[in-house]
Amino acid sequence: MANFSIKKISKKFDITIENIASDKSISHRCAMFALFSDKTSYIKNYLTAEDTLNTLNIVEQLGAKIKRDGSSVEITPNSKLIEPEDVLDCGNSGTAMRLFCGLLASVDGAFVLSGDKYLRSRPMKRVADPLRAIKAQIDGRENGNKAPLFIRGEKNLEAFTYISPIDSAQVKSAMILAALRATNVSRYKESELTRDHTERMLKGMGAEIFTDDEGFINIKPLTSHLKALNMTVPADPSSGFFFALAAAINKGSRVVIKNASLNPTRIEAYIILQKMGAIVNFIEKENIYEPIGDIEIIGNELNGVEVSKNISWLIDELPALAIAMSLAKGKSLVKNAKELRVKESDRIKAVVDNLKLCGVNYTEFEDGYEIIGGNLKSAKIDSFGDHRIAMSFAIAGLVSSMEIEDVDCINASFPNFKEILDSLYN
């Protein structure tokens, strides 16, 4: 179990980052969605991290031929998906496990999805229950709530009209993937728009998906194969956000993140930094599957903020925002974020436990926390095996030295994080 120490930085920095990790959410989807075509998909800048490589391995186990040259990937599907001989290992990725539940629910065969000890402790009934309601056969520990999950694919899943009780892009994506092979048009509704990569990418491949006047996403079942993908995965704005935070908490410092997704459902955390006082500019360059461009962040004096809306758009960035809140003037409040309890760790507990070690005044709630801004003291931080906790407090080390315990989890999502962090000192 590796640790590393971060020393306080003693200067302003001005850096353009062109090697931010590729977008993990889009990389996972590229690998999976290629299975809906009968032609070879060509994907550039695929994220070569443990979790996304696990997804490629699963796609290969399902019969696709994979050719990989660094971050360039060719995926040639088999004429039909095959029943794998072994367990499908999702590593630490909830995205992979939940989306594969939807994808495999309508595929003839038996499939077992598992992952590391952290993933095996995460709740899966949020996906399993709505899928089982349309005749999918999914079981696992705690009546299908915990992995390993066993799926017996059903060829004729029922069409559905489903209003989701939780706003989750993973649940939505799983249901959309199942709907592509259902018996008729299916309808899905969420109270707040969550990340829409699935809808955008599948529509770009030719799927008939549209939102009606009642706010339901309508998904027509496929009558033929989809077009192959031919795309370059943009830089991950969630990964880039750690370095946006680095600039924001070091007044006068500047970071430019190149070629990132500018999807509105992915840049809300940058908008919050902007509301707190940081200077943030978005420069769009293209918009095919996704809007893509550069993000400029310049550090400035920060003030407290309330975060209670569009939570699903910034759920992953809330631990990093907690660092900005701890250094801002005044009080900050996060609420309506109970979903943080069931991420790679209980991120509410992980954030406040570590803030306590750093001498920050806070109040914990079931669905968030209040933070009194001021100073962060140096501390030894427990990552709880969660990459976002580890990286958030590593960035905090730029203003007050930190030692981060159990950093192996970072390699699963952002292999060159430490390399970029070290470059700020040059």
Side-chain angles (χ1 to χ4, degrees):
M1 188 169 68
N3 298 355
F4 60 58
S5 298
I6 308 297
K7 294 181 179 178
K8 180 178 179 179
I9 197 164
S10 57
K11 66 179 183 67
K12 297 175 184 177
F13 49 86
D14 186 338
I15 185 170
T16 296
I17 307 175
E18 299 193 33
N19 58 339
I20 286 290
S22 308
D23 191 281
K24 184 164 65 168
S25 296
I26 295 175
S27 293
H28 280 304
R29 285 165 172 79
C30 281
M32 294 181 196
F33 296 176
L35 295 174
F36 288 97
S37 180
D38 60 349
K39 301 288 193 302
T40 300
S41 287
Y42 298 90
I43 303 152
K44 295 180 180 178
N45 203 36
Y46 188 89
L47 178 63
T48 55
E50 291 174 15
D51 283 347
T52 46
L53 292 177
N54 283 333
T55 295
L56 273 185
N57 288 337
I58 291 173
V59 167
E60 190 169 39
Q61 286 177 265
L62 295 172
K65 292 182 180 179
I66 307 292
K67 288 178 63 177
R68 188 163 72 88
D69 181 6
S71 63
S72 294
V73 179
E74 295 180 18
I75 303 174
T76 305
N78 197 20
S79 56
K80 67 174 185 176
L81 301 190
I82 64 172
E83 188 176 67
E85 297 178 355
D86 205 347
V87 171
L88 303 175
D89 182 6
C90 299
N92 187 245
S93 177
T95 296
M97 181 167 285
R98 290 177 177 137
L99 268 63
F100 272 121
C101 281
L103 192 154
L104 296 173
S106 60
V107 175
D108 187 27
F111 311 91
V112 178
L113 294 168
S114 193
D116 66 16
K117 65 179 182 179
Y118 299 107
L119 184 57
R120 293 195 303 272
S121 70
R122 295 179 65 183
M124 294 296 153
K125 285 186 75 173
R126 58 181 50 201
V127 168
D129 282 352
L131 287 170
R132 287 189 288 206
I134 58 171
K135 307 302 183 186
Q137 298 184 59
I138 301 176
D139 203 358
R141 293 185 301 125
E142 297 182 13
N143 193 29
N145 190 40
K146 299 284 179 66
L149 299 179
F150 176 78
I151 300 170
R152 168 66 69 179
E154 170 59 56
K155 286 185 179 180
N156 298 305
L157 290 182
E158 294 179 358
F160 59 83
T161 295
Y162 183 70
I163 300 175
S164 181
I166 58 172
D167 296 322
S168 165
Q170 294 175 356
V171 174
K172 175 174 66 174
S173 296
M175 296 299 285
I176 289 173
L177 293 177
L180 290 176
R181 295 194 181 101
T183 54
N184 210 329
V185 177
S186 296
R187 302 168 78 226
Y188 183 96
K189 189 174 184 179
E190 53 192 352
S191 60
E192 176 184 282
L193 176 66
T194 60
R195 291 180 178 180
D196 60 355
H197 301 305
T198 294
E199 302 97 296
R200 286 173 180 261
M201 291 175 66
L202 289 173
K203 282 193 284 188
M205 295 173 73
E208 294 187 67
I209 300 173
F210 65 93
T211 302
D212 63 26
D213 293 340
E214 298 177 75
F216 280 92
I217 300 169
N218 289 248
I219 310 103
K220 291 187 177 182
L222 299 180
T223 57
S224 62
H225 290 99
L226 294 179
K227 293 181 290 187
L229 280 167
N230 189 347
M231 77 175 293
T232 299
V233 179
D236 183 358
S238 296
S239 295
F241 189 73
F242 294 106
F243 297 99
L245 171 66
I249 62 177
N250 287 276
K251 189 174 180 180
S253 290
R254 175 178 176 267
V255 165
V256 176
I257 299 159
K258 300 289 287 185
N259 302 317
S261 170
L262 300 183
N263 184 315
T265 66
R266 298 298 303 280
I267 58 172
E268 184 72 7
Y270 293 86
I271 302 297
I272 297 299
L273 275 187
Q274 198 174 47
K275 289 180 179 177
M276 295 179 76
I279 298 167
V280 181
N281 296 307
F282 303 99
I283 306 100
E284 185 175 311
K285 293 180 173 179
E286 64 173 86
N287 194 342
I288 303 172
Y289 294 103
E290 288 273 321
I292 297 172
D294 301 341
I295 309 174
E296 178 189 48
I297 309 94
I298 301 172
N300 202 5
E301 189 172 286
L302 299 179
N303 297 296
V305 69
E306 178 178 319
V307 179
S308 58
K309 298 178 181 178
N310 294 332
I311 292 296
S312 63
W313 295 11
L314 48 58
I315 193 76
D316 287 335
E317 291 81 20
L318 283 172
L321 276 171
I323 303 302
M325 293 172 176
S326 299
L327 293 165
K329 289 185 176 180
K331 294 181 181 180
S332 292
L333 176 66
V334 173
K335 60 182 182 180
N336 302 324
K338 192 175 180 180
E339 182 75 6
L340 283 172
R341 297 282 186 189
V342 293
K343 302 298 277 184
E344 280 81 343
S345 66
D346 177 342
R347 285 182 176 162
I348 291 177
K349 182 179 188 300
V351 164
V352 300
D353 282 2
N354 283 316
L355 289 182
K356 183 177 181 180
L357 296 174
C358 297
V360 176
N361 291 321
Y362 67 89
T363 303
E364 179 181 355
F365 307 111
E366 182 60 24
D367 66 343
Y369 37 77
E370 180 182 80
I371 294 172
I372 310 299
N375 294 307
L376 281 166
K377 296 178 182 177
S378 179
K380 181 181 286 189
I381 299 301
D382 182 355
S383 76
F384 293 87
D386 188 328
H387 55 119
R388 296 198 183 276
I389 299 298
M391 290 187 282
S392 296
F393 282 88
I395 296 299
L398 296 173
V399 296
S400 55
S401 302
M402 297 284 175
E403 183 175 348
I404 316 296
E405 296 184 303
D406 190 5
V407 297
D408 294 336
C409 53
I410 294 175
N411 290 327
S413 64
F414 198 161
N416 63 331
F417 170 79
K418 186 63 162 52
E419 174 191 338
I420 298 174
L421 183 58
D422 289 344
S423 73
L424 301 182
Y425 295 86
N426 295 336

